[in-house]
């Protein structure tokens, strides 16, 4: 490429550059009262609206802001001009357009803005993961600022799909207490007709390293895994779980979560949501009437029934905090999971591993809710964005032609009984589905941890529902080192992988699916456990315990473990209790008192350090969330808590300065 080609374009006509244009014709629909009383910004906004091409005769309809996570640039035929970062935001612009057209047809004035989002799949094992969870807070801030920057809006439609953008959107909408808001989930991608889902395909590197697949197979299967260009992944990971949560909160219309991206039924949800936001305005129903303590509890209930991603333990409290509601605690989660049976058979925790679009056809969120309502486990008095209660919506769903037709389609197209995908409690119990999560404690997790207990291999669980593992620790301070050990055969049966320095202060609480997916391909994988202060992808499986607190870099006991230490894990999948303890070293087994003494006397490992590429932005995020309740508080920014700590620090500094000055004077 020559310098001339960069500095000049030979076919560009320089003399055509203009300095004036006629401007839009017509008249703004303003009145003397508006000129006398409206802020100048409101009036100038009308000028800008006309400048962008809006008909001046239709300027005074209700203004609705459509916010999305759209990314990439598509031609009119859908072909890529510039790629998005992932399929989850690639087609979202079509939902924006569909909703906007419907609003315009109903004499409203739609506005559109976007804050796009990253992909946890793309950043697995890379330094991009150091920004993943902190991004959620940043995006929520940007979305809230965009909402406040259109002070004349009558409501907000939010459109998002995936792991961080969707929780951020829910946090932003939750803060709009006095406005009506509606969330349109971005849907899911389809399965390839012949291939692997997007979760399994992320293990091609590990499987090739283990000589389980050929280069040709990896290349071909990787090419077709994302069978359609838009939507979240085909498994019940964080993206899919967050869509279910949005619907169970009442923020989305019934049966809108997990719709197949790009298809007419997906676009129809955008049109109906546009009508919904205007109905809410008409009924004067605001977000504060939708998001309540009851709706937060319903979201936790559906999370348990779906067997959802443990990442929602971070996101649901953050949504509650944004709505100025009480944040659920680990005790609340534990109680919910003891009460609520898992009813959904979905990737990756089976037993038959149906895809998210098949869960949608089986009835999705409202179908699960029907079972929960019969069991008395749902607060159906909660309001939804339909303008009606959850009870009314479920009555509609039960008799809906939509329900019966889609469930029949699943039988006819895929040969799948929808009652095998979404089960009654009795059928789920007979199929071996167990409760979703529990929170182990112990001398290595004095402030708690979490395990998706339903993902433990059933063959390792005794008749009483208990899983036990005793094995030697192999300690790694970086994800890369752990991956290398797995791929090169350094991990053997009964090992306990201890991955530290990966919590908020160490690596932005990175998601380590690369580790768990690589581990999954080992023939003895079910006999290896993982302990970490990081978090897991919703598609992770196995005896993986994360969110261990305090994290190693905050003085946690995990930062004192040495290679060869004996670690015992006990998980009771019936009582939903667990223990994770240091019980010995390479030469002997300790009593509980000896173990406590060992941990109190040991110094932290000398190799503890944050990730060398940890951005300053993430370091700041880690400090702020630690002051705001930390991991178990949802990794939020609690401004009152932060300013209180800053004031205490200021007072301490002032007192120290005064004392030093007195000492100098003496």
């Amino acid at each position: 490429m020559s310098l001339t080609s960069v500095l000049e374009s030979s076919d560009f006509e320089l003399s055509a550059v203009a300095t004036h244009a006629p401007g839009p014709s017509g008249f703004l629909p303003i009145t003397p009262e508006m000129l006398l009383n409206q802020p100048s910004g409101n009036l100038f906004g009308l000028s800008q609206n006309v400048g962008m091409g809006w008909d001046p005769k239709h300027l005074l309809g209700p203004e609705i802001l459509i916010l999305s996570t759209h990314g990439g640039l598509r031609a009119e035929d859908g072909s890529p001009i510039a790629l998005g970062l992932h399929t989850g935001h690639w087609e979202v612009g079509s939902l924006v357009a569909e909703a906007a057209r419907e609003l315009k047809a109903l004499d409203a004035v739609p506005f559109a803005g976007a804050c796009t989002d990253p992909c946890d799949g793309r950043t697995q094992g890379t330094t991009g993961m150091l920004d993943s969870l902190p991004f959620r807070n940043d995006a929520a801030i940007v979305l809230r600022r965009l909402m406040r920057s259109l002070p004349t809006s009558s409501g907000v439609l939010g459109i998002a799909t995936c792991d961080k953008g969707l929780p951020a959107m829910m946090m932003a909408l939750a803060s709009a207490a006095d406005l009506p808001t509606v969330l349109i989930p971005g849907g899911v991608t389809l399965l390839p007709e012949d291939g692997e889902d997007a979760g399994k395909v992320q293990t091609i590197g590990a499987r090739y390293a283990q000589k389980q697949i050929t280069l040709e197979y990896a290349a071909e299967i990787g090419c077709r895994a994302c069978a359609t260009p838009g939507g979240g992944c085909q498994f019940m990971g964080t993206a899919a779980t967050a869509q279910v949560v949005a619907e169970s909160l009442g923020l989305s219309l019934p049966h809108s979560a997990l719709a197949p991206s790009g298809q007419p039924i997906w676009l129809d949800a955008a049109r109906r949501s546009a009508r919904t936001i205007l109905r809410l305005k008409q009924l004067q129903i605001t977000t504060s009437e939708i998001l309540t303590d009851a709706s937060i509890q319903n979201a936790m209930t559906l999370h348990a029934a779906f067997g959802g991603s443990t990442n929602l333990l971070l996101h649901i409290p953050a949504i509650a905090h944004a709505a100025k509601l009480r944040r659920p605690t680990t005790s609340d989660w534990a109680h919910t999971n003891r009460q609520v049976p898992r009813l959904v058979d979905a990737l990756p925790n089976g037993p038959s591993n149906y895809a998210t679009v098949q869960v949608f056809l089986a009835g999705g969120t409202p179908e699960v809710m029907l079972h929960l309502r019969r069991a008395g486990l749902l607060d159906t008095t909660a309001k939804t964005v339909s303008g009606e209660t959850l009870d009314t919506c479920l009555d509609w769903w039960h008799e809906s032609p939509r329900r019966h037709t889609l469930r029949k389609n699943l039988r006819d197209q895929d040969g799948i009984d929808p009652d095998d995908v979404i089960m009654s409690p009795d059928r789920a119990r007979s199929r071996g589905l167990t409760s979703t999560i529990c929170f182990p404690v112990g001398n290595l997790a004095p402030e708690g941890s979490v395990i998706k207990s339903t993902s433990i291999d059933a063959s390792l669980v005794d008749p009483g529902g208990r899983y036990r593992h005793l094995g030697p620790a192999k300690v790694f301070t970086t994800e890369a080192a752990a991956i290398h050990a797995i791929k090169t055969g350094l991990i053997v049966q009964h090992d306990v992988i201890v991955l530290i320095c990966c919590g908020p202060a160490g690596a932005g609480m990175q998601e380590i699916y690369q580790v768990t997916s690589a581990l999954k391909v080992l023939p003895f994988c079910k006999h290896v456990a993982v302990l970490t202060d990081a978090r897991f992808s919703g598609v992770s499986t196995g005896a993986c315990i994360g969110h261990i607190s305090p994290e190693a870099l905050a003085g946690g006991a995990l930062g004192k473990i040495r290679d060869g230490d004996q670690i015992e894990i006990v998980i009771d999948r019936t009582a939903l209790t667990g223990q994770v303890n240091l019980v010995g070293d390479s030469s002997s087994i300790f009593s509980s008192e000896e173990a406590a003494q060992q941990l109190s006397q040991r110094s932290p490992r000398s190799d503890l350090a944050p990730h060398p590429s940890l951005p300053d932005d993430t370091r700041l995020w880690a400090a702020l969330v630690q002051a705001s309740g930390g991991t178990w508080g949802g990794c939020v920014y609690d401004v009152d808590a932060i300013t209180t700590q800053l004031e205490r620090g200021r007072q301490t500094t002032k007192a120290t300065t005064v004392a030093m000055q007195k000492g100098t004077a003496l």
Side-chain angles (χ1 to χ4, degrees):
M1 187 174 293
S2 68
L3 176 62
T4 302
S5 70
V6 174
L7 298 179
E8 298 179 15
S9 294
S10 59
D11 58 348
F12 186 75
E13 181 55 61
L14 296 173
S15 62
V17 178
T19 59
H20 288 71
S25 60
F27 301 88
L28 296 181
I30 53 178
T31 64
E33 182 183 11
M34 292 169 67
L35 290 170
L36 291 170
N37 298 317
Q38 288 285 321
S40 64
N42 289 3
L43 299 171
F44 181 54
L46 297 177
S47 297
Q48 292 191 88
N49 295 348
V50 174
M52 288 184 278
W54 205 259
D55 187 336
K57 295 191 295 293
H58 300 291
L59 283 176
L60 297 184
E63 296 181 353
I64 304 297
L65 176 59
I66 308 172
L67 289 175
S68 80
T69 55
H70 177 71
L73 186 63
R74 305 167 74 214
E76 287 187 10
D77 64 359
S79 61
I81 298 172
L83 293 172
L85 299 186
H86 56 102
T87 61
H89 60 214
W90 176 246
E91 289 186 327
V92 157
S94 298
L95 290 175
V96 175
E98 201 72 14
R101 292 188 191 99
E102 187 71 10
L103 289 168
K104 185 177 181 180
L106 295 170
D107 296 323
V109 182
F111 291 75
C115 175
T116 197
D117 54 349
C119 175
D120 282 3
R122 185 180 290 274
T123 59
Q124 287 294 332
T126 75
T127 54
M129 185 54 72
L130 306 180
D131 288 291
S132 172
L133 185 55
F135 170 87
R136 183 205 67 178
N137 290 20
D138 297 342
I141 289 171
V142 170
L143 292 166
R144 285 194 293 262
R145 290 192 187 281
L146 287 172
M147 288 162 57
R148 293 192 294 266
S149 296
L150 187 67
T152 51
S153 71
S154 297
V156 182
L157 283 173
I159 306 177
T161 309
C162 282
D163 295 34
K164 300 304 172 298
L166 181 48
M169 187 68 75
M170 287 190 278
M171 290 165 66
L173 297 182
S175 69
D178 298 330
L179 281 175
T181 63
V182 177
L183 191 139
I184 307 171
V188 298
T189 190
L190 301 189
L191 288 167
E193 292 178 355
D194 179 21
E196 297 179 356
D197 69 85
K200 186 175 182 180
V201 82
Q202 291 181 55
T203 69
I204 54 176
R207 282 184 284 160
Y208 182 74
Q210 294 291 325
K211 297 182 171 51
Q212 296 177 9
I213 58 173
T214 65
L215 173 62
E216 291 74 19
Y217 179 86
E220 183 179 5
I221 218 71
C223 188
R224 68 169 72 114
C226 297
T228 48
C233 293
Q234 303 108 326
F235 48 81
M236 191 53 61
T238 306
T241 307
Q243 292 186 38
V244 167
V245 162
E247 190 175 323
S248 58
L249 285 169
L251 282 176
S252 299
L253 284 174
H255 202 237
S256 56
L258 312 181
S261 181
Q263 295 195 29
I265 196 168
W266 174 79
L267 288 171
D268 180 63
R271 289 191 294 272
R272 290 184 292 110
S273 295
R275 297 196 286 272
T276 296
I277 194 75
L278 295 178
R279 184 168 193 260
L280 289 175
K281 179 181 181 298
Q282 188 179 57
L283 297 173
Q284 298 183 316
I285 296 174
T286 64
T287 303
S288 62
E289 296 174 68
I290 307 293
L291 285 181
T292 62
D293 289 332
S295 62
I296 295 293
Q297 179 58 53
N298 283 343
M300 295 167 66
T301 298
L302 268 294
H303 175 274
F306 270 83
S309 165
T310 54
N311 277 321
L312 272 294
L313 272 70
L314 303 170
H315 301 322
I316 289 178
I319 296 164
H321 177 261
K324 301 189 184 308
L325 300 170
R326 187 182 75 85
R327 285 178 268 179
T329 65
T330 55
S331 296
D332 297 323
W333 283 103
H335 175 75
T336 298
N337 278 268
R338 289 190 186 102
Q339 297 288 110
V340 179
R342 183 163 71 99
L343 303 178
V344 180
D345 181 348
L347 283 164
N349 293 316
S352 296
N353 288 330
Y354 297 110
T356 44
V357 68
Q358 292 167 327
V359 175
F360 175 78
L361 289 176
T365 306
E367 191 69 22
V368 177
M369 285 180 166
L370 287 180
H371 291 297
L372 295 172
R373 180 170 71 166
R374 292 187 198 104
L377 294 170
L378 208 60
D379 189 335
T380 57
T381 66
K383 274 190 176 178
T384 74
V385 292
S386 70
E388 308 300 329
T389 65
L390 187 54
D391 212 27
T392 300
C393 291
L394 292 179
D395 287 343
W396 160 79
W397 174 254
H398 187 264
E399 302 302 327
S400 164
R402 178 188 181 101
R403 176 188 181 223
H404 298 291
T405 301
L406 292 178
R407 283 166 60 85
K408 181 178 184 298
N409 286 355
L410 184 60
R411 288 192 188 93
D412 295 345
Q413 291 178 126
D414 293 354
I416 294 171
D417 182 348
D419 291 330
D420 285 337
V421 182
I422 297 172
M423 304 177 221
S424 68
D426 288 343
R427 181 180 289 210
R429 198 176 302 112
S430 71
R431 297 287 173 87
L433 272 67
T434 59
S435 297
T436 302
I437 52 175
C438 78
F439 300 91
V441 292
N443 62 29
L444 293 181
E447 293 179 7
S449 63
V450 66
I451 182 170
K452 195 172 183 180
S453 51
T454 192
S455 69
I456 298 172
D457 192 294
S459 67
L460 302 178
V461 179
D462 69 23
R466 292 182 184 84
Y467 162 83
R468 298 178 185 274
H469 184 97
L470 176 65
K474 287 188 177 170
V475 185
F476 305 94
T477 58
T478 67
E479 183 186 32
I483 286 291
H484 177 76
I486 294 169
K487 287 186 175 181
T488 56
L490 298 178
I491 299 300
V492 299
Q493 190 166 315
H494 301 306
D495 279 349
V496 178
I497 295 174
V498 179
L499 179 55
I500 55 178
C501 300
C502 297
M509 202 177 185
Q510 67 191 121
E511 186 179 274
I512 59 163
Y513 178 57
Q514 189 184 201
V515 169
T516 58
S517 64
L519 192 61
K520 190 175 181 179
V521 307
L522 297 179
F524 52 84
C525 65
K526 69 180 182 179
H527 298 294
V528 177
V530 178
L531 304 182
T532 184
D533 48 12
R535 59 192 175 90
F536 298 115
S537 164
V539 75
S540 294
T541 58
C544 303
I545 299 178
H547 299 214
I548 292 180
S549 304
E551 65 177 301
L553 284 170
L558 215 58
K560 298 180 179 182
I561 296 299
R562 304 165 182 160
D563 284 340
D565 279 344
Q566 294 294 307
I567 293 175
E568 183 181 49
I569 301 166
V570 180
I571 305 296
D572 188 326
R573 297 207 305 181
T574 303
L576 291 185
T577 58
Q579 288 279 323
V580 52
N581 290 304
L582 171 69
V583 296
D585 59 19
S586 57
S587 59
S588 62
I589 296 295
F590 305 145
S591 67
S592 58
E593 293 78 12
E594 288 171 330
Q597 187 177 27
Q598 277 279 337
L599 289 172
S600 66
Q601 291 177 349
R602 288 185 184 183
S603 299
R605 295 172 59 96
S606 60
D607 56 354
L608 297 184
H611 193 288
S613 299
L614 190 69
D616 284 346
D617 300 323
T618 300
R619 290 178 57 213
L620 176 61
W621 166 84
L624 293 175
V625 301
Q626 181 59 37
S628 304
T631 299
W632 301 112
C635 289
V636 301
Y637 297 154
D638 185 331
V639 176
D640 291 338
I642 293 167
T643 53
T644 296
Q645 289 203 28
L646 289 173
E647 180 60 23
R648 285 176 186 160
R650 190 184 72 81
Q651 294 292 349
T652 300
T653 301
K654 181 179 178 181
T656 302
T657 302
V658 170
M660 290 175 64
Q661 289 171 344
K662 286 182 178 179
T664 302
L666 290 173

